[in-house]
Amino acid sequence: MPPSRRRRDDGRTKVRKRDDEARLDAAGIGAELGERATLVQFSSAFCQPCRATRRILAEVAGMVDGVAHVEIDAEDRLELVRRLGVLRTPTVLVLDRHGAIVRRASGQPRKADVIAALGAAVSD
């Protein structure tokens, strides 16, 4: 991908069809799902944007009751990374209360985009 396009698309959420194959549960992510939605973040140890993303997601999860933020070390969970097609960190998945992936962002997302994606997950 050309650098300019990557920069332009960085952190933008993508809408995906609901896919039962891509459904995640508590055992799959190693933490409990939120009652209303879950923000799943794939990170790596030396990723600077991952730190900022962690702060954004924790803040948004703290603003909305029933929303959990789960951070997964991509290097420790390579099988899951491959299964979900995570190509870079940070990658954020927004899950509805049933664990279906309703939004996906690659790169550091903007807080407003996370809130909008969360709204779509909670209302579905």
Side-chain angles (χ1 to χ4, degrees):
M1 180 180 309
S4 60
R5 182 170 176 209
R6 182 174 182 183
R7 218 173 297 123
R8 184 186 71 224
D9 293 341
D10 197 34
R12 298 242 174 126
T13 59
K14 306 284 190 263
V15 178
R16 294 181 55 152
K17 281 186 172 180
R18 290 186 183 271
D19 181 357
D20 289 330
E21 302 268 333
R23 188 175 300 271
L24 298 173
D25 59 14
I29 63 172
E32 289 298 316
L33 295 176
E35 291 176 24
R36 298 178 69 199
T38 306
L39 302 170
V40 178
Q41 175 185 349
F42 287 89
S43 300
S44 53
F46 298 104
C47 169
Q48 184 63 34
C50 293
R51 294 181 187 123
T53 299
R54 179 183 311 121
R55 286 190 296 273
I56 291 168
L57 297 183
E59 185 176 332
V60 171
M63 292 170 35
V64 183
D65 289 336
V67 175
H69 170 224
V70 176
E71 188 170 3
I72 297 173
D73 186 328
E75 295 172 28
D76 289 344
R77 304 291 304 276
L78 288 176
E79 181 181 319
L80 184 60
V81 165
R82 289 183 184 116
R83 182 167 66 92
L84 296 172
V86 173
L87 301 176
R88 61 185 282 219
T89 58
T91 290
V92 177
L93 305 178
V94 180
L95 311 180
D96 68 9
R97 66 180 181 209
H98 304 291
I101 300 170
V102 295
R103 298 287 191 274
R104 177 185 189 114
S106 184
Q108 182 181 334
R110 296 180 312 174
K111 184 176 178 180
D113 291 335
V114 174
I115 292 169
L118 191 55
V122 171
S123 66
D124 287 347

